[in-house]
Each structure stands twice: as structure tokens, then as C-alpha cells.
Amino acid sequence: MTVFLVIIVLALLAVTGWQMSKIFQMSQGPGAESSEIANDNDNRQQAKLMLWFMIFIYVGMAYSFWHWSKLYLPEAASEHGNQVDTLMFISIGLIMVVQVITQALLHWFAYKYQGKKGKRALFFADNDKLEFIWTIIPVITLAGLIIYGLFTWSDIMNISEDNDPIVVEIYAKQFSWQARYAGEDNTLGEANVRFIEGINTVGLNENDPYADDDKITTELHLPVGKEVLFKFRSQDVLHSAYFPHFRAQMNVVPGMVTQFAFTPDITTEEMRNSEYMVDKVKTINEIRKDNSEALMAEGEAPLDSYEFDYFLLCNKICGDAHYNMQMKIIVESEKDYNEWLSEQDTFASTLESQE
């Protein structure tokens, strides 16, 4: 009740102050300037503020580029990744040039052509030449970006079976990934969620001979320099397979198979030894060391030392544990890849071991 009374009193005080201000304005007489109409002094102040705001924008922009540029991803680890990065930086460059020019003109004109008593602004209903210029330039620019983007997208998405790519299925479910490698026949066996039962966690058709040599893993290994064709399936909801370091992403849709291919060209070990990653890992471990000291002071276990690895992430908010949906990716030499793959159990041998 006390709070309610305080609110009423404050509201009445506000109304009283507003009414007193109106009475003061009326007492100025008919010749006084209205505070609701901007005068020359108001216009000068607003014009100067526009210049200061322009400076604030450019200083903030420059600082952001300098301070946050360290959070950029390192160089792309796939052959097509450089094309994606080039397209992105061209787009950012064009946007920044236009933004710098238009914002400078907007704020400078607000200062230069500030309102003054007795000064009238030039007005004209239309100007065909100006309208042509500000229409045709964006049209040509956007058409160039779209066409360039389409060619880039076509190069990435046109997958040639003649290259005999490695076929890997990525199976998504809340909240984990599984990888299924085609065996020596390089053909994945039939799969459907209706076949999921017991150890058959990805729903392979046990009667399909192509499924016998399939290998199911919870870690993704890829040979460097070899094209990999990924086929994506979802068991439950919409997911999105995101390979940030490889500049690849594909929606994983329940009830259908989507696909994407890329060729990794930087091994995990090479990326770990890059100057960018060495500095980043060093910084992260310094932070973890400080946090570990605080944890140990409270009697808790310290944090483990961080080591870089590629990861497959989910880029769709698919549920409560979405943040934890990730799978480690190892890019290695073809020899190491073949050795690792030979150690994995086939689907047929897994079934036999359960009988």
C-alpha cells in the first residue's frame, strides 16, 4: 500500500511540474519565442552534435576493427574456403566504402545546411538524372555481387562423382553427431529411422548388403587433399551442420537427405602450428590458468590445458543442450586416415558381436 501511495504522489508531482511549466510559458507574452520551435541557437547546437556523432561513429568503427579483428577465424582449411572468404571481404569492403561516404555526407550536410532564420531550403519535386544515378549504381553493384556469388556457389555445390569422393554420412540427433563411413564399396547402406533399435543407433537396414561394411563413429577423421562428400540426416528436429574452419554449413532436415562436399587442405597439426593458432591457444591457456587458480583456491579441480581441434557444430537452436552438440574433426594424412579407418568396426561385425 505504501508503494502505491508513493507512486501516486510522484505522479501528482510530475503533473504539477508540467502544469507550472505551461503557466510559465503563457506568462512570457505573445511576442516570446516558443520553446517548441527550434531557433538558430538550437540549430547550431544540433549541427555541432551531428559532427561529434559522426566522429564518434568513425572512432568506434575503427576501434572495433582493431580490437575485435583478432576474433576472425584463421585461414580457411578447405579448398573452396578461400572463395567464400574472398566473397565475404568484397561484400564487407563495398558496404564499408558506401557507409563511410554516405554517413560523412549525411552528417556534414546536417552541419553545413543547418536551419537559420530567414533562410529557405531549395526544393524540387524530382530530378531524373539523380534518380537514375542512385538507382543504376546499386543495381549494377548488387547484380555483380549476386552473379559472383552464384558462380562461387555453383563451383562449391557441383559435386562430380568422377572424382570418386569419400562418402560420409553425418547423422544428427538431440544432442550429438555420429559419422557413418561407406566401406570398401564406397556406397552407404540403406537407412531409415524406422530401423533404429538397440545398437543400430542410426537406423541401418540390416538386410541391405551395402550396409555390412559401413563404419559408425563418434569422431570424424578426414584425409587431407581428398574430396569428401557428406550426406546429412536428422533423427528428430532441424539441425545445421556447421564446419566453421572449412567455411561449410548445411541444414540437416528430418525426413530428407541433404549433401555438401569439400576438400580439406590443412591438417589439424598444421593448423595447431600456425602463428595465429599458437597465439590464440597461448592466450586461452593464460585465461584458463588464472581461472584454475581461483577454482583451486575454492577446493575445486583446475581446468585442463586447451589444445586446438576442428569441430563440427550445430548452428540451429535445437533444444536445451544445443550448445553441447559438437563432434571432433581430425584432418590427417591419407596414410594415418586409412590406418584409423581400418581399426573401426564394421556394422556387420558389431551385429555379430551382440549375438
Side-chain angles (χ1 to χ4, degrees), residues 135-168:
T135 300
I136 197 66
I137 292 178
V139 167
I140 294 174
T141 304
L142 289 174
L145 284 174
I146 291 170
I147 292 171
Y148 177 47
L150 285 174
F151 275 107
T152 303
W153 177 253
S154 179
D155 289 343
I156 295 171
M157 293 303 296
N158 286 340
I159 303 163
S160 176
E161 299 290 343
D162 296 336
N163 296 335
D164 192 27
I166 297 171
V167 181
V168 180

Side-chain angles (χ1 to χ4, degrees), residues 312-341:
L312 166 62
L313 308 173
C314 179
N315 210 19
K316 284 283 188 295
I317 300 178
C318 56
D320 293 342
H322 156 76
Y323 66 93
N324 201 37
M325 190 168 172
Q326 51 187 287
M327 181 164 63
K328 184 178 178 180
I329 303 174
I330 302 294
V331 179
E332 55 199 351
S333 67
E334 190 165 1
K335 177 184 176 183
D336 291 339
Y337 164 77
N338 290 328
E339 289 178 359
W340 172 84
L341 191 61

Side-chain angles (χ1 to χ4, degrees), residues 88-101:
M88 184 187 74
F89 284 120
I90 288 175
S91 299
I92 291 176
L94 286 171
I95 291 170
M96 290 307 301
V97 168
V98 172
Q99 187 268 148
V100 168
I101 294 174

Side-chain angles (χ1 to χ4, degrees), residues 12-23:
L12 290 174
L13 287 173
V15 172
T16 302
W18 176 67
Q19 290 293 342
M20 290 180 65
S21 68
K22 298 295 290 184
I23 294 171

Side-chain angles (χ1 to χ4, degrees), residues 114-220:
Q114 59 189 269
K116 294 180 180 178
K117 191 172 183 178
K119 184 177 180 181
R120 295 175 61 86
L122 176 64
F123 170 81
F124 47 89
D126 57 70
N127 186 308
D128 293 340
K129 185 177 181 180
L130 280 177
E131 291 175 6
F132 176 80
I133 291 172
W134 70 49
T135 300
I136 197 66
I137 292 178
V139 167
I140 294 174
T141 304
L142 289 174
L145 284 174
I146 291 170
I147 292 171
Y148 177 47
L150 285 174
F151 275 107
T152 303
W153 177 253
S154 179
D155 289 343
I156 295 171
M157 293 303 296
N158 286 340
I159 303 163
S160 176
E161 299 290 343
D162 296 336
N163 296 335
D164 192 27
I166 297 171
V167 181
V168 180
E169 179 186 79
I170 302 296
Y171 188 69
K173 58 184 176 181
Q174 295 174 310
F175 297 96
S176 64
W177 301 96
Q178 286 180 286
R180 176 163 66 108
Y181 291 82
E184 295 182 2
D185 54 15
N186 206 30
T187 303
L188 291 169
E190 180 188 1
N192 193 292
V193 292
R194 293 174 297 178
F195 299 136
I196 295 176
E197 184 179 6
I199 61 171
N200 189 359
T201 56
V202 299
L204 293 187
N205 184 352
E206 298 179 14
N207 297 318
D208 183 6
Y210 286 117
D212 289 344
D213 61 354
D214 288 357
K215 299 182 177 184
I216 302 167
T217 68
T218 55
E219 191 172 86
L220 185 60

